[in-house]
Amino acid sequence: MPPVFGNLPTLKISIITPNWNGAAHLDACLRSIHAQRVPGVELEHIVLDGGSTDGSHAILDRHRDGIDHLVIEADRGPADAINKGLRVASGDWVGWLNADDLYAPGALARAVSVAQRRPDAALLFGRCTIIDESDHEIRKGITRFKECFFPFSSRFTFQCINYISQPATLFRRSAVESAGPLREDLKAAFDYEFFLRLLRQGPAVRVPGSPLASFRWHPASISGQHFARQFREEYEAARADAGRFSPQTLIHLGVRWGIVASYTWMTRRARADRTE
């Protein structure tokens, strides 16, 4: 008999961590993942390091007992590294957590309880805070704005706007196998394009309650450096998925320019504050 969580079988969760020179926050990330090993959660942790030169390997050595698969080799970027992890993953559900992000305590146990009751779901998602390099919550308005769409969550809504934060997601592995791997030609929106394909395999189901994860925004992060490209890639993915002249695509186009304008203003304001 398999172990049970409540009255339901335990599900195996595979978490992939891509890393390249992420030593500044890697230790906290790994600790937040390994703390998810609680009764009811069978965790497989896969780490793909692209050949870091900043002390990451010493941190990985300290956490080696909690890492089930460790691969250290050059890659073509985060999407390539995550795809390597997806090929290795053996869990019923799969997710990835970047080396500068964090899981909240008990996040995977809460997700498992929803996954057990919604085997039709292709994607699970929950709340996700945005934090800075010192772990302080920032950009609360953006977080609340995304959460406004949670009660209306559907494939149609998601084609209009990306309101799901990647660190707070898990995917049914059978849905991933049907959807296919991440697109490695995309630099900043490979997660959104991937989610759109996943939603053809089943619904996105919300994990209620407190945040599941924290996304770390900083000037060197992908969203910090490439937000204009990110929202262009997201628009192009939505257009390909929904159709060039669909209502969703037209709404997404308007949302894209509004968000880019807001991010541009926030970036300029932050630069001005740093120079004062």
Side-chain angles (χ1 to χ4, degrees), residues 21-248:
N21 287 343
H25 305 290
L26 180 61
D27 182 76
C29 171
L30 297 179
R31 284 189 282 107
S32 80
I33 294 171
H34 297 163
Q36 304 297 318
R37 286 190 169 101
V38 297
V41 178
E42 182 183 354
L43 175 64
E44 175 184 55
H45 190 202
I46 303 163
V47 177
L48 292 305
D49 184 276
S52 296
T53 58
D54 67 342
S56 290
H57 296 171
I59 297 171
L60 293 172
D61 285 344
R62 292 203 300 270
H63 291 273
R64 190 65 182 86
D65 288 346
I67 300 171
D68 299 281
H69 303 280
L70 174 61
V71 177
I72 299 176
E73 63 182 22
D75 56 51
R76 296 185 297 274
D80 177 37
I82 294 164
N83 280 335
K84 291 179 182 180
L86 291 174
R87 290 193 288 269
V88 173
S90 62
D92 304 289
W93 288 78
V94 185
W96 77 81
L97 192 73
N98 293 318
D100 45 5
D101 298 335
L102 301 171
Y103 279 134
L108 295 188
R110 290 167 50 209
V112 163
S113 70
V114 174
Q116 289 169 323
R117 292 165 175 81
R118 290 297 304 268
D120 62 318
L123 185 152
L124 301 177
F125 72 96
R127 295 172 59 202
C128 183
T129 59
I130 304 172
I131 59 175
D132 64 12
E133 293 171 285
S134 300
D135 295 343
H136 299 130
E137 185 176 358
I138 58 173
R139 302 191 170 195
K140 295 181 182 180
I142 293 174
T143 302
R144 302 292 95 78
F145 175 73
K146 287 186 173 185
E147 291 173 354
C148 287
F149 295 92
F150 285 8
F152 313 103
S153 181
S154 68
R155 186 176 172 208
F156 178 96
T157 312
F158 193 57
Q159 289 168 330
C160 295
I161 181 171
N162 180 8
Y163 55 85
I164 294 176
S165 297
Q166 175 275 313
T169 59
L170 287 176
F171 334 113
R172 180 164 42 86
R173 186 161 64 93
S174 59
V176 173
E177 291 169 350
S178 297
L182 277 66
R183 279 181 49 185
E184 296 175 16
D185 60 309
L186 298 179
K187 184 176 185 67
F190 51 80
D191 52 353
Y192 178 67
E193 193 276 338
F194 176 63
F195 294 172
L196 286 169
R197 285 186 280 121
L198 277 177
L199 291 182
R200 299 176 188 175
Q201 314 303 320
V205 175
R206 182 165 65 96
V207 179
S210 59
L212 296 179
S214 293
F215 161 72
R216 193 182 304 276
W217 188 96
H218 52 88
S221 64
I222 290 177
S223 60
Q225 290 182 314
H226 306 289
F227 64 85
R229 178 169 178 170
Q230 173 188 341
F231 294 115
R232 174 176 58 80
E233 289 182 349
E234 286 188 4
Y235 166 71
E236 291 170 349
R239 184 180 64 189
D241 194 63
R244 187 178 188 90
F245 299 109
S246 68
Q248 303 97 297

